[in-house]
């Protein structure tokens, strides 16, 4: 998930895909062909339960979340990765929520705030979001009442972190300075999942998985705007201009290109079975779609309106992040020597 601008410091079948019953084992060892100097393509086993990643330009760090299992058996970590070698530089364990069982505040969605040097997570199974220090990894705050929190995105210009509440149709905005809730909007009969924000306008866009639409919240609007898109939209990214939205349509197996001015789908591109995550490459304008069931990432040229490259991934690619012409693909593949999931780095130019 990417957005059109950055601050000077520089962004299943349901909403959560868990690797239940597996242990969290960190390896952090790159394969033999990892060459940081040239940043060759590489796939690295990291840990079980990988979920999402977010790149920090301020610190040149790839932050990733991992959660496996449920309840007292759950394991979870916020991981600090070297974006070149993909080696785990540090791992931070979320706070304990139940001292009697040792249950953790498991982390899933993730987004960095380079303006305030923090990283935000969604704690899906705990109906909350959390804030951590990028400098030390310290847990700074837990913010409750985000039902089945799916994703989080940070608007560094307007000092707002937005979280999607899949469980009750809410989109919640938090102040990134004070961590206090500043806005809450509920759309009846909606299932907000993916998020993207236009940092020029402050408008946040959420995909409504069950409603086949985009929910747009503008700072100056009294009510959200509802924009039709493809079947089962679960993730969203914006073009560099912020005038076009791209949705990964889980049910349709497509990428939808939506004109945000007209509120209409301009183009639909088949990408593969089970699209789950979408991101844009700032340099080329191309759009990447992680197809979980097909175990591929489709690279779409929006001007040609077709897939121009297909990247084979590990099984169950869960998330794609782009930065500096590189794609980072988190796959719940269990392909590591001890059953770890993998992160794959692919050069896009």
């Amino acid at each position: 998930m990417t957005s059109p601008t950055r601050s000077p410091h520089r962004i299943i079948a349901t909403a959560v895909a868990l690797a239940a019953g597996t242990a969290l084992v960190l390896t952090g060892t790159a394969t033999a062909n990892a060459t940081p100097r040239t940043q060759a393509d590489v796939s690295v086993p990291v840990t079980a339960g990988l979920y999402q990643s977010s790149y920090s330009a301020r610190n040149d760090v790839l932050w990733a979340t991992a959660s496996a299992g449920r309840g007292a058996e759950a394991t979870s970590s916020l991981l600090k990765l070297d974006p070149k070698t993909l080696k785990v530089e540090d791992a931070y364990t979320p706070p304990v929520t139940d001292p009697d069982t040792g249950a953790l505040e498991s982390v899933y969605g993730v987004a960095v705030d380079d303006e305030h040097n923090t990283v935000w997570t969604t704690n899906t199974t705990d109906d909350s979001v959390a804030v951590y220090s990028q400098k030390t990894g310290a847990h700074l705050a837990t913010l409750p009442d985000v039902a089945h929190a799916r994703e989080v995105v940070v608007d560094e210009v307007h000092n707002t972190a937005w979280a999607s509440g899949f469980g009750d149709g809410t989109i919640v905005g938090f102040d990134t300075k004070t961590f206090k809730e500043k806005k809450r909007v509920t759309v009846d009969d909606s299932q907000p999942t993916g998020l993207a924000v236009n940092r020029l306008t402050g408008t946040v866009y959420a995909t409504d998985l069950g409603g086949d639409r985009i929910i747009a919240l503008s700072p100056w609007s009294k009510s959200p705007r509802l924009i039709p898109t493809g079947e089962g939209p679960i993730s969203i990214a914006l073009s560099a201009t912020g005038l076009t939205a791209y949705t990964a349509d889980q049910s349709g197996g497509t990428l939808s290109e939506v004109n945000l001015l007209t509120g209409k789908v301009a183009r639909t591109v088949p990408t593969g079975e089970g699209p789950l995550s979408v991101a844009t490459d700032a340099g080329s304008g191309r759009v990447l779609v992680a197809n979980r069931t097909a175990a591929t990432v489709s690279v779409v040229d929006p001007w040609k309106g077709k897939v121009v490259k297909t990247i084979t991934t590990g099984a169950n690619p869960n998330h794609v992040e782009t930065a500096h012409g590189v794609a980072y693909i988190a796959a719940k593949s269990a392909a590591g020597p001890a059953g770890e999931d993998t992160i794959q780095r692919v050069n896009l130019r």
Side-chain angles (χ1 to χ4, degrees):
M1 301 150 293
T2 55
S3 300
T5 60
R6 293 191 182 266
S7 74
H9 281 310
R10 346 284 109 255
I11 212 177
I12 204 178
T14 64
V16 174
L18 292 172
T22 54
L24 193 67
V25 181
L26 300 176
T27 63
T29 303
T31 52
N33 66 330
T35 52
R37 193 174 303 172
T38 60
Q39 291 199 38
D41 295 354
V42 62
S43 181
V44 175
V46 179
T47 187
L50 277 179
Y51 199 74
Q52 290 188 357
S53 69
S54 184
Y55 176 75
S56 166
R58 175 173 180 167
N59 299 292
D60 191 27
V61 165
L62 185 69
W63 291 93
T65 51
S67 291
R70 289 182 181 272
E73 303 300 320
T75 52
S76 186
S77 285
L78 176 63
L79 307 174
K80 183 179 181 181
L81 305 180
D82 183 309
K84 299 178 180 65
T85 65
L86 301 183
K87 180 179 179 180
V88 177
E89 296 182 333
D90 228 325
Y92 306 102
T93 302
V96 172
T97 58
D98 187 341
D100 293 333
T101 65
L104 298 174
E105 187 180 87
S106 298
V107 294
Y108 293 91
V110 62
V112 300
D113 177 7
D114 275 350
E115 187 66 28
H116 302 99
N117 210 20
T118 56
V119 56
W120 290 67
T121 68
T122 58
N123 314 314
T124 306
T125 54
D126 293 289
D127 298 329
S128 65
V129 299
V131 192
Y132 294 80
S133 166
Q134 286 201 62
K135 184 177 180 180
T136 66
H139 174 266
L140 302 178
T142 294
L143 312 175
D145 301 324
V146 185
H148 199 96
R150 170 65 159 91
E151 288 195 7
V152 60
V153 66
V154 175
D155 179 351
E156 294 167 330
V157 175
H158 299 91
N159 296 311
T160 306
W162 294 97
S164 55
F166 176 84
D168 62 1
T170 61
I171 301 168
V172 188
F174 297 96
D175 190 304
T176 51
K177 293 180 179 178
T178 65
F179 307 153
K180 293 182 179 180
E181 183 177 317
K182 59 195 295 188
K183 189 167 185 176
R184 176 181 293 261
V185 175
T186 300
V187 178
D188 293 338
D189 301 317
S190 72
Q191 297 174 320
T193 51
L195 293 171
V197 66
N198 186 324
R199 292 174 177 80
L200 293 176
T201 66
T203 302
V204 63
Y205 300 89
T207 49
D208 179 2
L209 180 64
D212 297 343
R213 59 191 178 179
I214 297 168
I215 302 167
L217 301 179
S218 299
W220 57 86
S221 177
K222 294 182 179 180
S223 59
R225 179 186 178 203
L226 303 177
I227 306 169
T229 188
E231 298 178 22
I234 194 167
S235 182
I236 186 169
L238 300 182
S239 65
T241 64
L243 300 178
T244 302
Y246 303 101
T247 62
D249 307 324
Q250 188 178 54
S251 302
T254 56
L255 171 76
S256 290
E257 178 184 318
V258 182
N259 185 318
L260 294 174
L261 294 178
T262 65
K264 296 181 179 180
V265 176
R267 180 181 284 130
T268 301
V269 181
T271 60
E273 221 178 331
L276 189 60
S277 177
V278 63
T280 53
D281 174 43
S284 66
R286 289 181 171 180
V287 186
L288 283 74
V289 181
N291 306 300
R292 182 180 170 93
T293 307
T296 60
V297 167
S298 300
V299 182
V300 177
D301 186 321
W303 293 277
K304 295 180 179 178
K306 65 179 183 180
V307 176
V308 294
K309 183 178 181 180
T310 300
I311 302 167
T312 301
T313 70
N316 305 316
N318 203 66
H319 186 256
V320 59
E321 165 82 344
T322 60
H324 303 312
V326 174
Y328 298 97
I329 304 162
K332 302 177 80 67
S333 61
E340 306 96 333
D341 294 334
T342 57
I343 286 186
Q344 183 176 351
R345 189 192 63 231
V346 178
N347 286 314
L348 300 175
R349 328 217 213 289

